[in-house]
Amino acid sequence: MMLLFEIKKVLSKPLNKAALLILTAVLVIGSVLAIRDVRYVDKDGNLSTGILAARRLQDEKSQWEGYLTEDVLRQVIQENAAINSLPEASSEDIQENNKAAAMKQGFSDIREMINLAFSEFDNFDYYRIDGISEDEAGNFYEQRIAGLKNYLNREEIEDTFSKDEKEWLIHKYESLDTPLYYEYADGWKALLDSQYLPTLMMITVLIIGFLVAGIFSDEFTWKADSIFFSTRWGRGKAVLSKMGAGFLITTILYWSVVLLFSGIVLAVLGFSGSGCAVQTGVSNWNSIYNITYLQDYVLSTFGGYIGSLFIATLAMLVSAKTHSTVFAITIPFILTCIPPFVGKLEVFARAMTLFPDQLLFINKNLEEFALYHIGGRILGGIAIIIPLYLILFCLVFPIIFRVYGKTQMK
């Protein structure tokens, strides 16, 4: 009953209700924008978006489902060249160009992977495939590794990584299970390869911070602290109820938003492709993490949850210590909105990779070469940051009980 009472106190505030309405609006808008990112061009060159467009695009791409063997890559290069030779491809009329593009959209993902493999490591060339012969298709996977090696041997990069780190990165590339399996996965790509999910997570954390910031300071704002702490359970169960309310609000709100957003996007764009490697998407071609889209999703959402718990807990701790709702509200903002700007400064760039905001952007950090040495082992940043903040949350959360329970009445 005490726990439900604390939750009711939070949700009954007019400003908190308004915050939840804003979050609902953001969820709806984000879902619509993510869905509209998937586009289909018909044979007449007309562009469309939405459910019907996604279904038609899925039908086109499903024709290329299977392992990307040398024969498949040769076929893509051959068909791309055949379409380029058509009058529509060389026309100066945009509508005619769209007709040519429509013919390529079935194998557009594979086309982009070929472009990435044969382009310079960090210099994507959209038309690179046009200069590749069918015989070169057999070097597709070797080119990805060669591109990394050339990148690591650049003069401006050479001293960035140690010899062991370079070998570790190359080993990660070489350990990718090939040939890659390909199928339509635009639902997962719209969900994970875009900025919508991490942006939605960040806004959710800010709203959660706004909601929980007053849980411990309200008693002082309402001048009810003397009554609260003088009651039988005022320094025991009542404090635990406040902590439980903060934990439940964070957990329920975070997962409700994330799962609703995921469900809407995937229901419209399709669930297929969850078992494809993230490297089959343009955004993660250079990723050192050899995982599938489903694993990427689990990693990203669980990491975001840990980040939300830690940031909300820190806001509650500040609220319990300072008795100030306003000061507590600034904590989520400082931890989520400031680091991305500070991280652009070279002197702080590496340190910023371990800030809690990075937990909200795991799906966008799969290509980052942030490496750390622990116990003689080399680990990627993502392998460090999730357990780090899970441990910190477990350490900080109980401190709230001690800090608030020891509060002196005025």
Side-chain angles (χ1 to χ4, degrees):
M1 291 298 293
M2 294 172 69
L3 176 63
L4 293 176
F5 177 69
E6 290 295 339
I7 294 175
K8 184 178 179 180
K9 280 166 59 178
V10 173
L11 300 181
S12 64
K13 294 181 182 179
L15 284 177
N16 289 353
K17 290 180 179 179
L20 291 175
L21 287 175
I22 292 172
L23 183 57
T24 302
V26 171
L27 171 62
V28 173
I29 294 171
S31 301
V32 172
L33 291 176
I35 292 169
R36 285 177 62 86
D37 269 0
V38 175
R39 302 180 178 187
Y40 175 78
V41 182
D42 63 25
K43 62 181 180 179
D44 296 320
N46 298 314
L47 178 68
S48 61
T49 60
I51 300 176
L52 186 57
R55 294 293 176 264
R56 290 174 176 172
L57 185 61
Q58 184 171 8
D59 291 339
E60 293 272 355
K61 292 187 175 183
S62 294
Q63 298 175 29
W64 294 88
E65 181 177 333
Y67 288 99
L68 299 180
T69 61
E70 181 178 345
D71 290 339
V72 173
L73 297 169
R74 280 176 175 269
Q75 187 180 353
V76 170
I77 293 173
Q78 185 180 22
E79 294 212 16
N80 181 75
I83 295 171
N84 285 344
S85 66
L86 297 175
E88 291 91 338
S90 57
S91 174
E92 296 182 359
D93 185 271
I94 295 178
Q95 193 74 8
E96 292 298 307
N97 285 158
N98 286 342
K99 291 179 182 179
M103 301 177 195
K104 297 181 180 181
Q105 61 190 344
F107 59 84
S108 59
D109 293 329
I110 305 174
R111 183 184 186 277
E112 296 307 289
M113 281 188 274
I114 294 174
N115 282 331
L116 285 161
F118 288 89
S119 297
E120 292 184 23
F121 186 83
D122 55 353
N123 187 21
F124 176 72
D125 183 355
Y126 180 80
Y127 299 101
R128 183 68 182 88
I129 189 175
D130 298 341
I132 298 172
S133 66
E134 292 179 42
D135 291 336
E136 292 178 282
N139 298 323
F140 174 70
Y141 296 108
E142 288 76 7
Q143 276 296 127
R144 179 173 181 267
I145 299 171
L148 173 64
K149 290 179 178 178
N150 291 334
Y151 171 75
L152 295 175
N153 288 329
R154 286 184 190 174
E155 186 177 346
E156 67 273 19
I157 300 295
E158 194 171 1
D159 296 331
T160 303
F161 302 99
S162 67
K163 180 182 178 181
D164 289 341
E165 289 174 337
K166 290 179 181 179
E167 290 178 353
W168 187 87
L169 289 169
I170 294 170
H171 172 71
K172 282 293 182 180
Y173 266 47
E174 292 176 338
S175 62
L176 177 65
D177 189 15
T178 58
L180 293 171
Y181 183 81
Y182 171 80
E183 67 176 312
Y184 171 86
D186 285 38
W188 294 98
K189 290 174 184 176
L191 188 63
L192 295 167
D193 290 359
S194 69
Q195 286 284 356
Y196 297 119
L197 181 61
T199 300
L200 184 61
M201 286 182 180
M202 185 177 71
I203 294 173
T204 302
V205 169
L206 292 174
I207 296 296
I208 289 173
F210 184 82
L211 296 179
V212 304
I215 290 179
F216 293 92
S217 57
D218 281 348
E219 310 301 336
F220 295 89
T221 302
W222 299 332
K223 307 298 183 184
D225 54 300
S226 58
I227 299 175
F228 179 87
F229 288 112
S230 62
T231 59
R232 181 181 180 184
W233 305 113
R235 296 184 184 275
K237 290 184 179 180
V239 179
L240 290 174
S241 296
K242 287 182 176 292
M243 293 170 62
F247 178 81
L248 284 177
I249 289 171
T250 301
T251 299
I252 293 172
L253 191 56
Y254 172 83
W255 285 114
S256 296
V257 171
V258 168
L259 294 178
L260 272 173
F261 176 72
S262 306
I264 292 170
V265 173
L266 292 175
V268 174
L269 300 182
F271 288 84
S272 65
S274 62
C276 290
V278 294
Q279 285 81 3
T280 57
V282 175
S283 297
N284 290 312
W285 172 253
N286 291 323
S287 176
I288 58 175
Y289 299 94
N290 300 326
I291 58 176
T292 64
Y293 273 110
L294 181 59
Q295 291 169 329
D296 179 6
Y297 178 76
V298 172
L299 194 65
S300 298
T301 54
F302 180 72
Y305 175 56
I306 297 301
S308 300
L309 280 179
F310 175 77
I311 293 171
T313 297
L314 206 57
M316 289 190 289
L317 178 60
V318 170
S319 176
K321 181 66 176 178
T322 65
H323 311 154
S324 170
T325 301
V326 175
F327 190 33
I329 289 174
T330 64
I331 300 302
F333 178 81
I334 292 172
L335 293 179
T336 59
C337 299
I338 304 299
F341 295 98
V342 178
K344 292 181 180 180
L345 301 175
E346 188 174 350
V347 65
F348 297 114
R350 187 169 179 81
M352 291 297 107
T353 62
L354 291 178
F355 262 59
D357 69 298
Q358 295 300 303
L359 288 164
L360 311 178
F361 293 87
I362 286 178
N363 65 310
K364 299 303 296 179
N365 291 337
L366 293 180
E367 280 197 338
E368 295 294 326
F369 288 1
L371 306 180
Y372 296 90
H373 295 254
I374 295 182
R377 296 180 59 194
I378 299 175
L379 297 172
I382 294 175
I384 298 294
I385 196 169
I386 292 179
L388 171 64
Y389 281 98
L390 178 58
I391 292 171
L392 288 176
F393 161 72
C394 293
L395 292 175
V396 173
F397 193 66
I399 295 175
I400 297 175
F401 181 83
R402 180 178 179 84
V403 168
Y404 201 67
K406 296 290 185 179
T407 298
Q408 298 297 319
M409 293 184 291
K410 295 181 180 179

